Each structure stands twice: as C-alpha cells, then as structure tokens.
Amino acid sequence: MEHFTIATVAEKSPDFRRVLWTGEHTQLVIMTIPPGGEIGEEVHDGIDQILTFVSGTGEARVAGEKKEVVSGDLVVVPAGTKHNFVNTGPNPLVLYTVYGPPEHADGAVHKTKEEADAAEEAGEDEPPTS
C-alpha cells in the first residue's frame, strides 16, 4: 500500500516536479511552481490529467479559457487539450496531479522547470512502458 498525506508532502517539496508513484495506468506527481513561474503550455496526447491545488494562487489556461485557481481547486485537462498553469501570486503554487496513463519517468525529480525541460528534450523523462 502507498499512503500519502498528500497536501503535506506536496507543501514540503521545493522541486518543480517530483514523481511520487507510478502504476500501470496512472501516475501521481507533485509540483511547486515559483512566483512568476509556469508549467509551460503543453498538450498531452492520449493522457488525461487531473490537477489539485494545495496552496498559492494561479491561473489555469485550458483550451483557450482562463480561470483563477486557489487552494482546494481541482482542474481536469482531457487528453489532447492545450493547457498551462501560471503562478500569479507572491508564494509558490503547490499542486499534485494525476496522469492517466503515466507521463513522466518513474521516480523522476526535476528541481527546476529548466531541468525538467532539458530532461524531456534529451529523452530522459519517458514514462515506463508496459
């Protein structure tokens, strides 16, 4: 059994992205976006994503719509949908997200967005294959 006090675990992580658990069909990831930072506009073909916000304030940009997000909010991003999440507040924007199927390498830890982008470009952040 895997058990997480997820809001506490997410709040304690300074890393941009940290994969906590990877299964055959889903993946749990925590993220911390610094003030002024963003996830970066992206599309996940064939992968649904559910994001739950733990602390901070930000803006969800999904399929051309914009909406403020705060602690306790949840945003669903269906597969193939263009999206980005931007920290609009003075504190880190902390969240956890579930991908189905997995999107990142099992156990991946990226301290910054730049490190995450470099790993993706180098092919070092590929999800496990079944």
Side-chain angles (χ1 to χ4, degrees):
M1 174 196 318
E2 295 289 336
H3 176 270
F4 301 98
T5 306
I6 193 65
T8 303
V9 171
E11 280 280 332
K12 289 182 178 179
S13 176
D15 300 315
F16 175 74
R17 180 186 300 134
R18 178 178 291 270
V19 175
L20 290 183
W21 180 83
T22 302
E24 185 176 345
H25 303 288
T26 57
Q27 183 173 64
L28 175 62
V29 176
I30 55 177
M31 297 186 74
T32 300
I33 304 167
E38 63 182 78
I39 288 175
E41 189 171 85
E42 58 189 0
V43 174
H44 302 300
D45 291 323
I47 299 172
D48 293 321
Q49 186 176 10
I50 300 170
L51 303 94
T52 303
F53 296 84
V54 174
S55 64
T57 57
E59 184 177 77
R61 300 174 182 174
V62 180
E65 294 183 49
K66 295 179 181 180
K67 183 150 182 82
E68 180 183 21
V69 290
V70 297
S71 177
D73 285 352
L74 182 144
V75 177
V76 175
V77 180
T81 304
K82 186 183 293 186
H83 61 282
N84 190 8
F85 295 87
V86 179
N87 184 340
T88 58
N91 300 311
L93 179 61
V94 179
L95 64 104
Y96 62 93
T97 183
V98 176
Y99 294 96
E103 167 70 2
H104 300 286
D106 188 27
V109 176
H110 302 119
K111 296 196 179 304
T112 65
K113 179 178 183 337
E114 293 75 24
E115 185 178 304
D117 290 345
E120 288 179 16
E121 288 176 23
E124 297 169 354
D125 189 30
E126 296 299 317
T129 56
S130 46

